[in-house]
């Protein structure tokens, strides 16, 4: 079974398992090659046997180094030559060489062809060594181990035709080697002849001796680094390259992977840092804003504290002043005080010192400062009273406007244009409004103050034109007249005269709207005045 | 051996690559360490900012609460506060209303009196003088009887000052008495100075200011016929319906007016000022007697 197995498998079994039959098979398979080569170098069978034993001994020792793609014949041939060289260096070297020289000189004289062949024999091994290992292995298998081309192809791991071409090519290379060494006549055929001539099997006795010696050989016990190296040596070149690439690339890959991880971690950190920086900027802005707000509040607190202190002091002063003022009201020996902002006035004098026609309220209902004071109004009382008075004034205006009508009274002789508006007595409508207002003010301020503020008016009076005597327009009609003399002054401007008549008396002025209340002028006279072309008379048209 | 050499060469060839990758890894490691330090520093700063923000937030909330407390409660208006701190409120200020409201002093605080701020006294209708000091202004300004006597005396002093400038002509024919007040630009100023000094000296500057606001107008213009032209008053004997009568004529420049001296014919206010006792006072000063027609009613110009 071992006969069919490849050299590598046999060597592996021997190296790893001590498979002696496998090694014997190898020895038998390559014995002729080794012995033949040794014989060519040693010149006798004894030396060749010794050399062969040394070669197979070396094979046994170095069996672990072989790889599937190693050529065992090439190695055996090279080792044989090396061992032969060592052997020849021994004490028998000189004699063997002289003897060999003598024998060569004798044989070369036999014939030219034989002479040429004999001259080439010493160069055969040198020529084989010059070949590439696969070429050398092909020739050694084909000629020194007498393998068929199919077997050579199988041993080399190629197809048969490729093995044939390789053998032929190797032969040509050997021939050219011979030619370079001065044997110009060397051809492929001569090379083949030399190879065949130098091939030779080991004699049976020698073979038996070698096999016996080989059977005693055992593979070296390998452990540790040698074992690892043996494993490494057992790899093909491709495997070796793959292992070495893997071994050299693994740390780099590990480092690369680590660097990649670091880059990713760095990027993540950078992202986190960017986020933190952004948040920090936001936080800084928030802090600045909060600091500003805090400072503002601090200032406000300081100011509020000051204001509070001022307020407290003011309230204390106010309390003191209040006590003094109350004292004023009740003091039978009242005297003027320059220190106090108030004086007391007898209520009985108010109607004289603050008469209605001068001190009550304006046409819009706003109360005068003196009225507020003499009536002792609080802000709330003032607001409520002004609202009631404002409603009354508005009601009077609405009633006047609603009841007014234009007459066809002729213009005065001196005026070119004249227009008269009559407001009839406003009757119960105004009386009701006035009475209601009086009641409202009485409820707000009491009867005394209502009388001082609105007394008389609550019967339907109103005072629009001339202070002093409120007129009872609820029972008496009014008449408003506007007369216009165009360009009377020669300046291009019209001259106005306005007149109000009431209860047989009247008052007039020479400007517009003059005696006509603004709301009456707007409602009844303004369009008419514009029609008269006085629209640009800004100096006189100021309703 | 070739395989070992090949292996050695391959491994050797891998060394530079390994070193390069290892260098890159070292640089990445250093970069990562730097980034890590920076990130930790940034995180620490952020944490510090967060702590500071939390502290500030608490501080701000506390201040806001204190501010609310500080600004709550009764706050005096700025105008009233200004006054209570010694300032002078603006005209028609509502500070007085506020003060009355805060003090609870109003119309109903007294049955007889009301407190009025001094700032509006000049806006009231205060007739200070009607030949004498009026009762109303005495009540408003709390003028005592003694002070009122001094003021009345000051009014008389003004009258005396005017009379000291009057030129009296001797009676002639039917002209029983003739008085001429020549134009004198210094007289109004003298009256003003003398009267103001007397009022201020009597009432003090604050009340005098209110009193003189109307009183000075009265003594300067309303009570006395002091103008830019000579003013002449003439009492002339005449007859009406066959009865003795008396005419009173006064001229100012080229303007002349004449009335019969009767109770019902009151002259201008200056007549009362110059002759406080009426027509009888004029007759006494002129040294003539009033006819019966003039005595029909007690003279009361």
């Amino acid at each position: 079974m071992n006969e069919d197995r490849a050299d590598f498998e046999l060597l592996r079994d021997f190296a790893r398992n001590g498979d002696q039959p496998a090694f014997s098979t190898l020895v038998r398979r390559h014995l002729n090659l080794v012995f033949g080569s040794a014989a060519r170098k040693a010149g006798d069978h004894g030396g060749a046997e010794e050399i062969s034993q040394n070669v197979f001994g070396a094979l046994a020792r170095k069996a672990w180094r072989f790889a599937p793609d190693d050529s065992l014949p090439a190695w055996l041939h090279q080792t044989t030559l090396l061992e032969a060289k060592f052997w020849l260096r021994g004490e028998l070297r000189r004699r063997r060489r002289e003897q060999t020289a003598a024998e060569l000189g004798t044989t070369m004289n036999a014939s030219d062809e034989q002479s040429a062949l004999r001259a080439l024999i010493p160069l055969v091994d040198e020529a084989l060594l010059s070949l590439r290992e696969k070429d050398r292995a092909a020739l050694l298998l084909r000629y020194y181990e007498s393998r068929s081309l199919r077997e050579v192809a199988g041993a080399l791991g190629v197809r048969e035709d490729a093995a044939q071409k390789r053998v032929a090519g190797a032969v040509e290379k050997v021939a050219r080697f011979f030619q370079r060494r001065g044997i110009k006549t060397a051809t492929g055929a001569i090379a083949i002849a030399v190879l065949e001539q130098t091939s030779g099997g080991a004699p049976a006795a020698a073979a038996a001796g070698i096999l016996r010696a080989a059977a005693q050989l055992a593979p070296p016990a390998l452990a540790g680094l040698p074992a690892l190296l043996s494993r490494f040596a057992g790899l093909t070149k491709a495997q070796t390259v793959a292992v070495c690439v893997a071994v050299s690339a693994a740390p780099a890959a590990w480092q690369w992977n680590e660097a990649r991880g670091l880059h990713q971690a760095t990027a993540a950190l950078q992202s986190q840092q960017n986020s933190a920086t952004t948040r920090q900027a936001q936080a800084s802005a928030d802090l600045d804003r909060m600091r500003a707000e805090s400072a503002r509040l601090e200032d406000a607190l300081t100011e509020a504290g000051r204001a509070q202190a001022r307020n407290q002091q003011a309230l204390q002063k106010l309390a003191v002043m209040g006590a003094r003022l109350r004292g004023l009201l009740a003091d039978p020996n009242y005297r003027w005080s320059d220190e106090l902002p108030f004086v007391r006035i007898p209520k009985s004098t108010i109607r004289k010192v603050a008469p209605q026609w001068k001190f009550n309220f304006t046409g819009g209902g706003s109360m005068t400062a003196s009225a507020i004071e003499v009536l002792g109004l609080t802000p709330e009382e003032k607001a409520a009273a002004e609202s009631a008075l404002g409603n009354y004034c508005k009601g009077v205006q609405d009633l006047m406007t609603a009841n007014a009508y234009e007459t066809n009274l002729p213009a005065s002789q001196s005026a070119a244009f004249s227009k008269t508006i009559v407001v009839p007595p406003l009757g119960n409508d105004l009386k009701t409004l006035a009475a209601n207002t009086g009641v409202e003010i009485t409820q707000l301020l009491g009867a005394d103050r209502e009388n001082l503020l609105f007394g008389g008016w609550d019967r339907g009076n109103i005072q629009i034109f001339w202070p002093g005597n409120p007129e009872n327009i609820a029972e008496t009609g009014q008449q408003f007249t506007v007369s216009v003399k165009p360009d009377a002054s020669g300046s291009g401007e019209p001259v106005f005269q306005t007149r109000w008549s009431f209860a047989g008396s009247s008052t007039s002025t020479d400007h517009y709207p003059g005696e006509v209340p603004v709301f009456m002028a707007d409602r009844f006279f303004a369009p008419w005045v514009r029609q008269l072309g006085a629209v640009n008379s800004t100096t006189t048209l100021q309703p | 051996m070739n395989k070992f050499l090949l292996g050695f060469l391959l491994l050797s060839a891998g060394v530079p690559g390994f070193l390069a990758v290892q260098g890159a890894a070292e640089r990445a490691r250093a970069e990562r360490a730097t980034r890590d330090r920076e990130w930790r520093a940034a995180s620490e700063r952020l944490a510090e900012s967060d702590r500071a923000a939390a502290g500030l937030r608490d501080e701000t909330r506390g201040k806001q609460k204190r501010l609310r407390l500080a600004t709550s409660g009764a706050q005096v208006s700025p105008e009233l506060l200004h006054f209570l701190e010694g300032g002078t409120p603006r005209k028609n200020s509502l500070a007085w209303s506020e003060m009355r409201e805060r003090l609870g002093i109003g119309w109903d605080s007294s049955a007889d009196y009301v407190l009025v701020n001094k700032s509006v006294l000049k806006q009231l209708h205060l007739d200070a003088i009607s030949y004498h000091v009026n009762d109303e202004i005495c009540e408003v300004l709390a003028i005592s009887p003694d002070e009122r006597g001094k003021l009345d005396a000051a009014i008389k002093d003004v009258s005396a000052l005017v009379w000291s400038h009057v030129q009296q002509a001797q009676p002639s024919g039917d002209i029983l008495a003739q008085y001429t007040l020549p134009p004198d630009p210094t007289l109004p100023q003298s009256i003003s100075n003398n009267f103001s000094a007397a009022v201020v000296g009597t009432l003090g500057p604050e009340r005098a200011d209110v009193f003189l606001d109307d009183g000075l107008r009265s003594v300067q213009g309303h009570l006395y016929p002091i103008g830019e032209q000579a003013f002449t008053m003439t009492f002339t004997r005449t007859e009406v319906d066959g009865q003795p009568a008396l005419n009173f004529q006064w001229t100012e420049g080229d303007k002349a007016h004449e009335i019969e001296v009767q109770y019902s014919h009151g002259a201008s206010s200056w007549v009362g000022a110059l002759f406080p006792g009426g027509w009888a006072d004029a007759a006494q000063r002129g040294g003539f007697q009033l006819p019966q027609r003039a005595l029909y009613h007690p003279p009361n110009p």
Side-chain angles (χ1 to χ4, degrees):
Chain A
M1 183 174 180
N2 284 339
E3 299 304 323
D4 298 331
R5 295 166 66 192
D7 290 347
F8 172 73
E9 294 173 354
L10 295 171
L11 272 175
R12 185 186 61 195
D13 290 346
F14 172 70
R16 294 184 181 176
N17 307 323
D19 187 351
Q20 190 59 48
F23 191 74
S24 297
T25 302
L26 274 176
V27 172
R28 277 195 298 277
R29 183 178 291 173
H30 299 291
L31 180 58
N32 290 340
L33 167 63
V34 173
F35 189 86
S37 299
R40 281 196 304 278
K41 288 296 181 183
D44 61 16
H45 285 177
E49 184 178 345
E50 185 180 349
I51 291 169
S52 296
Q53 288 176 355
N54 291 341
V55 168
F56 286 116
L59 178 62
R61 288 194 302 275
K62 299 182 178 178
W64 56 270
R65 293 185 177 182
F66 284 86
D69 57 343
D70 283 342
S71 173
L72 185 59
W75 185 84
L76 288 170
H77 174 251
Q78 192 172 3
T79 305
T80 301
L81 296 179
L82 193 61
E83 286 295 331
K85 193 174 178 181
F86 290 148
W87 185 81
L88 287 173
R89 282 179 181 168
E91 58 182 291
L92 295 178
R93 183 176 57 186
R94 182 182 306 275
R95 184 177 58 82
R96 294 294 182 191
R97 288 185 65 178
E98 287 176 354
Q99 186 178 352
T100 302
E103 289 177 354
L104 283 174
T106 305
T107 55
M108 285 179 69
N109 289 332
S111 67
D112 290 341
E113 186 177 354
Q114 287 299 318
S115 174
L117 288 175
R118 287 181 182 281
L120 292 175
I121 286 172
L123 300 176
V124 167
D125 290 310
E126 193 174 354
L128 288 171
L129 285 175
S130 70
L131 297 176
R132 290 191 306 154
E133 185 180 283
K134 287 185 177 177
D135 291 342
R136 187 165 74 244
L139 290 182
L140 293 172
L141 289 169
R142 182 73 181 94
Y143 295 107
Y144 286 175
E145 294 187 355
S146 304
R147 304 282 185 92
S148 65
L149 285 173
R150 177 179 296 176
E151 290 172 331
V152 170
L156 296 178
V158 297
R159 292 190 307 180
E160 185 175 346
D161 55 345
Q164 184 179 9
K165 285 182 180 176
R166 179 169 292 177
V167 168
V171 167
E172 287 301 319
K173 289 177 182 174
V174 169
R176 284 196 292 276
F177 180 84
F178 289 152
Q179 289 171 1
R180 286 196 299 271
R181 291 302 173 93
I183 313 301
K184 302 298 183 186
T185 56
T187 62
I190 290 174
I192 292 172
V194 170
L195 290 171
E196 289 176 342
Q197 183 70 32
T198 53
S199 66
I210 293 168
L211 286 171
R212 274 196 304 276
Q216 304 301 317
L217 295 173
L222 299 175
L225 181 61
L228 184 64
L229 291 176
S230 73
R231 293 278 181 178
F232 182 74
L235 299 175
T236 64
K237 285 182 182 174
Q239 289 172 330
T240 302
V241 170
V243 168
C244 288
V245 167
V247 167
S248 61
W254 174 68
Q255 289 291 323
W256 178 81
N257 186 54
E258 187 175 353
R260 189 164 148 271
L262 286 167
H263 280 306
Q264 289 174 344
T266 302
L269 280 171
Q270 182 67 53
S271 174
Q272 289 174 332
Q273 186 184 352
N274 290 342
S275 173
T277 303
T278 304
R279 289 172 56 199
Q280 172 69 30
Q282 181 63 40
S284 294
D286 289 346
L287 272 177
D288 290 344
R289 183 180 53 75
M290 282 193 284
R291 284 196 187 100
E293 175 65 8
S294 180
R296 187 193 68 77
L297 285 171
E298 189 66 43
D299 292 344
L301 267 175
T302 305
E303 187 55 37
R306 273 196 223 107
Q308 205 172 21
R310 288 173 62 195
N311 200 58
Q312 285 300 321
Q313 290 179 347
L315 288 172
Q316 289 170 1
K317 285 185 182 176
L318 196 60
V320 172
M321 191 174 289
R324 293 189 63 187
L325 290 175
R326 284 189 199 88
L328 286 187
L329 289 172
D331 187 359
N333 300 311
Y334 167 70
R335 303 284 297 170
W336 178 277
S337 171
D338 286 344
E339 300 169 0
L340 292 174
F342 291 94
V343 296
R344 83 178 191 188
I345 292 179
K347 290 179 178 176
S348 58
T349 66
I350 289 177
R351 190 169 290 284
K352 291 181 180 175
V353 301
Q356 276 183 331
W357 51 265
K358 190 175 180 184
F359 294 99
N360 48 19
F361 54 92
T362 65
S366 298
M367 299 183 70
T368 62
S370 54
I372 294 168
E373 285 298 315
V374 298
L375 296 177
L377 296 179
T378 64
E380 287 74 19
E381 288 173 335
K382 168 184 175 290
E386 285 185 336
S387 174
L389 293 169
N391 289 336
Y392 175 70
C393 293
K394 173 83 167 41
V396 170
Q397 292 179 11
D398 290 345
L399 283 172
M400 287 179 67
T401 306
N403 289 280
Y405 59 86
E406 183 176 351
T407 69
N408 54 0
L409 292 173
S412 65
Q413 291 182 348
S414 59
F417 305 100
S418 180
K419 182 174 184 177
T420 298
I421 299 296
V422 172
V423 178
L426 298 178
N428 289 332
D429 288 343
L430 178 58
K431 289 180 180 177
T432 303
L433 172 66
N436 291 340
T437 303
V439 170
E440 184 180 359
I441 294 175
T442 301
Q443 290 172 344
L444 289 170
L445 306 179
D448 289 345
R449 287 193 285 179
E450 189 276 338
N451 189 33
L452 290 169
L453 179 65
F454 199 62
W457 294 42
D458 51 8
R459 291 188 296 276
N461 291 350
I462 190 164
Q463 178 177 291
I464 310 174
F465 312 105
W466 185 256
N469 299 300
E471 309 294 355
N472 191 337
I473 60 173
E475 297 176 348
T476 306
Q478 304 166 76
Q479 188 170 301
F480 300 93
T481 301
V482 174
S483 302
V484 184
K485 301 176 186 174
D487 197 19
S489 63
S491 62
E493 295 290 335
V495 173
F496 289 90
Q497 185 179 52
T498 60
R499 184 166 182 270
W500 170 66
S501 303
F502 177 83
S505 63
S506 65
T507 178
S508 61
T509 58
D510 57 356
H511 62 273
Y512 179 87
E515 300 300 335
V516 179
V518 172
F519 67 92
M520 292 290 290
D522 288 345
R523 173 72 176 79
F524 297 102
F525 294 102
W528 177 72
V529 168
R530 285 195 205 98
Q531 281 181 348
L532 297 177
V535 65
N536 293 324
S537 182
T538 54
T539 55
T540 55
L541 265 179
Q542 293 177 348
Chain B
M1 280 308 285
N2 290 339
K3 262 184 292 189
F4 285 103
L5 182 60
L6 178 64
F8 176 75
L9 290 175
L10 286 172
L11 291 173
S12 300
V15 168
F18 171 76
L19 291 176
V21 176
Q22 189 191 32
E26 283 300 324
R27 285 192 296 277
R29 208 171 281 119
E31 175 72 10
R32 183 189 181 285
T34 303
R35 285 280 170 272
D36 190 58
R37 282 194 300 275
E38 290 174 355
W39 176 75
R40 286 178 194 284
S43 298
E44 183 57 34
R45 285 197 297 274
L46 186 59
E48 185 65 30
S49 295
D50 287 343
R51 283 193 292 274
L56 269 176
R57 212 169 285 118
D58 291 343
E59 184 180 314
T60 302
R61 274 197 284 267
K63 286 179 178 175
Q64 285 171 337
K65 188 176 178 182
R66 282 160 51 204
L67 189 58
R68 275 197 297 274
L69 286 173
T71 53
S72 63
Q75 296 292 320
V76 176
S77 73
E79 277 192 308
L80 181 54
L81 185 66
H82 176 65
F83 163 71
L84 291 172
E85 290 178 338
T88 303
R90 61 182 172 82
K91 189 179 179 185
N92 297 338
S93 169
L94 289 177
W96 316 122
S97 294
E98 181 188 350
M99 182 184 288
R100 273 197 301 270
E101 186 178 41
R102 284 183 172 279
L103 295 175
I105 298 175
W107 179 264
D108 296 328
S109 296
S110 168
D112 301 320
Y113 302 102
V114 62
L115 288 179
V116 175
N117 185 257
K118 291 175 179 175
S119 64
V120 302
L121 292 180
K122 287 186 181 178
Q123 298 172 32
L124 297 178
H125 184 64
L126 289 175
D127 286 333
I129 301 169
S130 296
Y131 311 122
H132 303 286
V133 176
N134 287 331
D135 293 339
E136 289 78 20
I137 200 165
C138 287
E139 290 180 329
V140 170
L141 298 183
I143 296 173
S144 67
D146 180 53
E147 290 169 336
R148 189 173 186 173
K150 291 179 180 176
L151 293 175
D152 283 336
I155 294 171
K156 286 181 179 175
D157 289 345
V158 172
S159 179
L161 180 63
V162 173
W163 275 113
S164 70
H165 283 68
V166 171
Q167 298 168 359
Q168 185 173 6
Q170 291 299 316
S172 170
D174 290 334
I175 295 175
L176 301 179
Q178 188 174 54
Y179 307 100
T180 300
L181 186 61
D184 184 353
T186 65
L187 183 57
Q189 191 62 47
S190 298
I191 293 172
S192 175
N193 292 344
N194 294 347
F195 187 68
S196 297
V199 172
V200 172
T202 302
L203 301 179
E206 193 171 50
R207 284 189 294 171
D209 182 47
V210 178
F211 186 91
L212 290 173
D213 187 55
D214 179 77
L216 204 54
R217 276 198 303 273
S218 296
V219 297
Q220 279 184 323
H222 297 170
L223 293 184
Y224 299 103
I226 303 169
E228 295 178 350
Q229 294 178 313
F231 185 82
T232 301
M233 298 173 288
T234 305
F235 289 92
T236 308
R237 184 185 300 117
T238 186
E239 285 186 358
V240 176
D241 298 332
Q243 294 182 1
L246 190 66
N247 276 353
F248 177 62
Q249 185 187 56
W250 68 96
T251 60
E252 185 173 12
D254 55 355
K255 292 180 180 176
H257 306 274
E258 186 175 44
I259 60 172
E260 183 186 358
V261 175
Q262 281 185 319
Y263 165 74
S264 58
H265 290 170
S268 297
S269 58
W270 47 265
V271 176
L274 287 171
F275 307 106
W279 298 129
D281 197 4
Q284 184 181 358
R285 179 178 286 272
F288 57 86
Q289 290 187 337
L290 291 173
Q292 284 297 317
R293 288 177 60 87
L295 297 175
Y296 184 73
H297 289 295
N300 187 12

